[in-house]
Amino acid sequence: MAKRSMIERERKRIKLSKNLYTKREALKSILKSKDASIDEKLLASNKLQKMPRDSSLARVTNRCAITGRPKGFYRKFGLGRIKVREAAMRGDIPGLVKASW
């Protein structure tokens, strides 16, 4: 089980990134624009740098919904590898069976 503080930190990052997504994208589009002047780009760059670091989507880590484990995460199920295996053994995930050859 992951530390409670780590799980809460991730929730905070997700919330911040959702709230500031449109503002960040608008500033990024100004920076990528060929029509914008150098002054506009410099102003947009400064505004982007002053935004909280945790508002960036790149800082959000996928974690298991049950345990909060950051490694061995399956996006399709939203769970870590251990919990996916347990759920498959119980038959909670339809169509998923243990491999044998």
Side-chain angles (χ1 to χ4, degrees):
M1 187 83 178
K3 289 170 62 174
R4 176 72 49 208
S5 61
M6 296 300 287
I7 295 170
E8 291 303 320
R9 187 182 302 166
E10 279 303 315
R11 286 188 185 148
K12 179 183 170 188
R13 284 180 179 153
I14 291 168
K15 183 179 174 186
L16 253 177
S17 62
K18 283 182 180 177
N19 289 343
L20 297 175
Y21 178 78
T22 53
K23 189 173 182 180
R24 287 185 72 88
E25 289 301 313
L27 291 172
K28 285 182 185 179
S29 67
I30 292 171
L31 290 173
K32 291 178 184 177
S33 173
K34 294 181 181 177
D35 300 331
S37 69
I38 294 173
D39 294 331
E40 290 174 339
K41 288 184 178 187
L42 189 63
L43 186 66
S45 176
N46 287 339
K47 284 184 180 179
L48 193 62
Q49 288 175 0
K50 289 191 193 287
M51 292 181 82
R53 279 185 182 175
D54 286 343
S55 65
S56 173
L57 273 175
R59 290 180 65 96
V60 176
T61 306
N62 291 326
R63 288 185 175 267
C64 175
I66 299 170
T67 62
R69 180 182 168 88
K71 297 180 179 179
F73 178 80
Y74 285 83
R75 285 185 181 189
K76 186 173 184 177
F77 308 113
L79 300 173
R81 63 181 176 82
I82 298 163
K83 293 298 173 181
V84 167
R85 186 171 188 273
E86 289 174 3
M89 293 299 177
R90 284 193 311 265
D92 293 342
I93 303 174
L96 188 69
V97 293
K98 187 176 174 183
S100 60
W101 61 90

